Amino acid sequence: MTISGIILAAGKGTRMKSGLPKPLHKVAGVALVGHAVRIMRIAGVENINVVVSSDLANSDALQSALLPRVTISVQSEQLGTADALNSARSAVEAADSIVVAPADMILVTGEIVRQMITTHEESGAHATVLGALVDDPSGLGRIKLDASAKPVGILEEHEADEELLQSHLINTAWYCFDNNWIWNALDLVEPAETSEVYLPRVIKSAAAAGRVRAVVSDNGEMGQGINDRVQLSRVETIMRQRTNEAHMKNGVTIQDPATTYIDIDVEIGADTRIGAGTHIGTRSTIGSNVLIGPNTQITSSKIGNGATVDGARVINSVVGEGATVGSNSLLRAGSELMPWATVGNLAEIKNSVIGSGSKISHFSYIGDTKIGVNVNVGAGTVTCNYDGKKKHPTVIEDEAFIGSSTMLIAPLTIGKSARTGAGSVVKFDVVKGDTVAGVPAKSIKSK
Ligand code: UD1
Ligand code: CA
C-alpha cells in the first residue's frame, strides 16, 4: 500500500502571541513543522505535503525548517482543520492511505504512528485516530466511545457534554485515512458554531459505517500539545530529556542532564563525556571519546574523536581529532583545527585553519589566517586583518614561531620556520628561516 503524509500548519496560532507563525517556533533547535516531518519519516512516510498559510508559503524560513522532498500546499483562508486538509487534496492523489498530523503535537513518536498505520491498513478502516490518555485534557478534543469502547466520534471541548468532559482520552489530531473515502467525507462536514469546519467530525461518519479504529497511547506525553508558550517550554523539557536519554543509552556520559541542552539531529559517539551547562546545536556531529564542557556551546560544528572542548564556544567550525579548545575561547564561522592543534584560553579564531600540532595557547585573535603545522603563536598575538575597509589574509607557514604580543599586519606571510620577537609589529612578509623584531619589525638574523 502506498502512503502519503499531510501536515496541517496553516493555523493562526493566536495563543502564541507572536509575530512568528507557530509552525516556525522551535523546540530543541528544530521548527515545530520540521518535527512533524521527522516523525512521519521515522514512521516510514516518505511523501509529505505541508499545508501553510499564503504568507509562509514562499518564505526561506519555511524552506529551512523542512527536510528535502517535502511539498507545500496553501490554505488561503484559515477556515478550520477540515478545510486545511482539503487544500492538500490534489497533492496526495496517488496514495492508498494518508497520514494527517497537526504541527503542534510533536511528542507523538514515529513508532506509535507506524502502529496507527498498521492498524489502519490491517483493519481496512476508513479512518484511524491516534488517542492519548492524559492527566489534563483541558482544551483538547475528546474521543467519544460507545458501550463496547469503540470510537463513535470526536467532540471539541465546547461541544462535549458533562460526561464526555470527564474523559481523559483525547484526540492527538494524528489520523490515518483511506484516500478513496476521506474527500467525500470532508465535503459532508458541516461548519461548527465557530464557523470553522472541524476535521475530527469525519470520525462520526466513519463510525456510522463501522469503519473507524483508534490506537491509544497511555503515555500522557503524546497528548501534550503546543498552543501557548508555557506548553512550548514543557514540550521542550520533555523533548530534551528524551534526547539526553537516547544519547546516554548509546554510551554517552551526561554529567547533569537537567542543564544539558542537546538539540535533535545531533550525532554523538560512544564514551564522549558532556559536562554540566553544555549546549549542542542541531546538525552538529561529535565523535567518540570527546570531552565537552562544562559550560560549553557548540553550534553546527563537527568535533573529531578524542578532542576536548572545555568551556568554549564553537560555531560553524571543525575541531579535528585530538584537538583542544580551552576555556573562554571562541571559534567563529569557517574555522578548522586540524588534528592535535591546540587553542588555549581566551582566543578568538575566525575563518582560519590551524595546522596539525600548532598551538595558540593564550589570549589571541586569529582571523582569515592559514597556519601550517607545528606553529607556536605566542600570547597576545593579533592578526590585524581589517584596514577599516577590507579584510586581508595572513599565512603562517610550518614550524614558525610567533613571539608574544606580535601584531601581524595583513596581508602578510610568515615563512617556514621564521620567528618574530616579542612585541614586534610585522608589516612586511618574513622569508623562510628569518627572524624579525621591533616596530616595524626588521630582520635581526645576521646580527
Ligand atoms: C485540534 C483538534 C482537537 C485535538 C487537538 C490536538 C480540531 C477541530 N480539533 O484542536 O480535537 O484534540 O487539535 O492538538 O481539529 N490548522 C490549519 N488551518 C486551519 C486551522 C488549523 O492548518 O484553518 C492547523 C494548525 O496550524 C495546527 C492544526 O491544524 O497545526 C490544529 O489546529 P489547532 O487550531 O491547533 O487545533 P486545536 O484547537 O488544538
Ligand atoms: Ca493545537
Side-chain angles (χ1 to χ4, degrees):
M1 289 231 224
T2 57
I3 187 148
S4 288
I6 297 174
I7 296 165
L8 310 181
K12 296 193 192 95
T14 331
R15 288 165 282 184
M16 295 299 281
K17 305 219 166 99
S18 177
L20 185 72
K22 185 166 74 174
L24 297 184
H25 278 262
K26 287 184 178 174
V27 163
V30 168
L32 298 183
V33 64
H35 279 276
V37 170
R38 281 168 174 78
I39 297 164
M40 283 200 181
R41 287 265 161 85
I42 294 167
V45 181
E46 267 305 309
N47 298 318
I48 298 174
N49 185 267
V50 178
V51 180
V52 296
S53 56
S54 35
D55 54 337
L56 214 62
N58 297 315
S59 75
D60 292 344
L62 177 68
Q63 279 308 329
S64 58
L66 301 174
L67 293 173
R69 304 186 314 284
V70 174
T71 57
I72 290 167
S73 299
V74 173
Q75 183 192 24
S76 39
E77 252 186 292
Q78 278 59 69
L79 301 174
T81 42
D83 178 71
L85 180 55
N86 214 12
S87 314
R89 197 168 186 147
S90 60
V92 292
E93 271 162 1
D96 297 314
S97 312
I98 56 169
V99 173
V100 175
D104 59 359
M105 275 286 187
I106 62 160
L107 291 175
V108 159
T109 59
E111 200 180 3
I112 199 146
V113 173
R114 182 73 246 163
Q115 204 179 315
M116 172 177 75
I117 296 168
T118 308
T119 302
H120 180 82
E121 290 183 341
E122 287 177 0
S123 65
H126 289 328
T128 303
V129 57
L130 179 60
L133 286 163
V134 297
D135 290 340
D136 176 13
S138 55
L140 293 164
R142 312 291 208 282
I143 302 178
K144 188 172 178 177
L145 305 176
D146 67 10
S148 58
K150 285 211 192 79
V152 290
I154 296 173
L155 293 167
E156 297 308 302
E157 194 163 67
H158 67 90
E159 305 170 309
D161 59 22
E162 271 309 311
E163 191 194 339
L164 187 59
L165 286 176
Q166 301 307 310
S167 165
H168 288 232
L169 175 57
I170 63 92
N171 168 27
T172 64
W174 281 77
Y175 319 87
C176 198
F177 296 118
D178 175 350
N179 200 15
N180 287 320
W181 171 84
I182 181 65
W183 308 108
N184 276 340
L186 266 192
D187 289 343
L188 297 174
V189 172
E190 298 279 347
E193 59 192 32
T194 60
S195 79
E196 285 191 19
V197 276
Y198 290 168
L199 175 57
R201 291 195 173 188
V202 300
I203 298 299
K204 195 173 170 189
S205 47
R211 304 282 284 274
V212 64
R213 291 287 180 280
V215 168
V216 174
S217 168
D218 56 11
N219 176 349
E221 289 176 359
M222 303 239 188
Q224 170 73 60
I226 301 169
N227 290 322
D228 60 32
R229 299 200 202 211
V230 175
Q231 292 174 327
L232 183 76
S233 77
R234 282 187 196 141
V235 169
E236 174 104 21
T237 303
I238 296 168
M239 186 65 83
R240 291 198 180 286
Q241 198 178 336
R242 283 188 187 174
T243 306
N244 286 345
E245 285 176 10
H247 287 300
M248 289 188 269
K249 284 181 178 149
N250 280 337
V252 176
T253 296
I254 299 181
Q255 180 192 22
D256 182 17
T259 63
T260 302
Y261 303 82
I262 304 174
D263 286 349
I264 65 161
D265 290 347
V266 171
E267 283 173 37
I268 308 179
D271 286 326
T272 284
R273 284 184 285 152
I274 300 177
T278 292
H279 297 242
I280 304 177
T282 186
R283 289 168 212 178
S284 296
T285 308
I286 317 288
S288 54
N289 288 298
V290 175
L291 284 178
I292 298 177
N295 302 321
T296 291
Q297 185 187 335
I298 293 172
T299 306
S300 305
S301 295
K302 192 171 184 311
I303 314 293
N305 296 339
T308 299
V309 185
D310 175 3
R313 287 172 70 199
V314 178
I315 300 167
N316 293 319
S317 292
V318 177
V319 175
E321 183 178 354
T324 300
V325 188
S327 58
N328 296 304
S329 283
L330 169 63
L331 261 54
R332 284 164 56 200
S335 296
E336 179 165 6
L337 265 55
M338 303 304 276
W340 312 103
T342 300
V343 170
N345 308 313
L346 292 157
E348 177 174 340
I349 315 287
K350 185 214 74 176
N351 186 35
S352 295
V353 177
I354 315 299
S356 209
S358 290
K359 291 191 175 111
I360 303 160
S361 297
H362 319 281
F363 49 102
S364 279
Y365 171 66
I366 302 294
D368 306 311
T369 299
K370 192 169 179 332
I371 295 182
V373 304
N374 297 328
V375 167
N376 189 78
V377 175
T381 294
V382 173
T383 55
C384 308
N385 62 334
Y386 186 49
D387 61 12
K389 293 195 184 76
K390 278 179 78 180
K391 302 278 168 68
H392 301 282
T394 300
V395 176
I396 304 175
E397 292 178 354
D398 299 351
E399 320 276 344
F401 182 94
I402 309 299
S404 294
S405 250
T406 297
M407 300 295 126
L408 299 162
I409 316 291
L412 188 70
T413 297
I414 306 291
K416 186 166 190 276
S417 303
R419 301 170 72 87
T420 70
S424 44
V425 176
V426 186
K427 288 183 157 179
F428 305 107
D429 290 354
V430 179
V431 298
K432 181 178 166 189
D434 201 1
T435 299
V436 299
V439 182
K442 295 190 177 94
S443 177
I444 54 168
K445 190 87 201 259
S446 54
K447 286 177 189 165

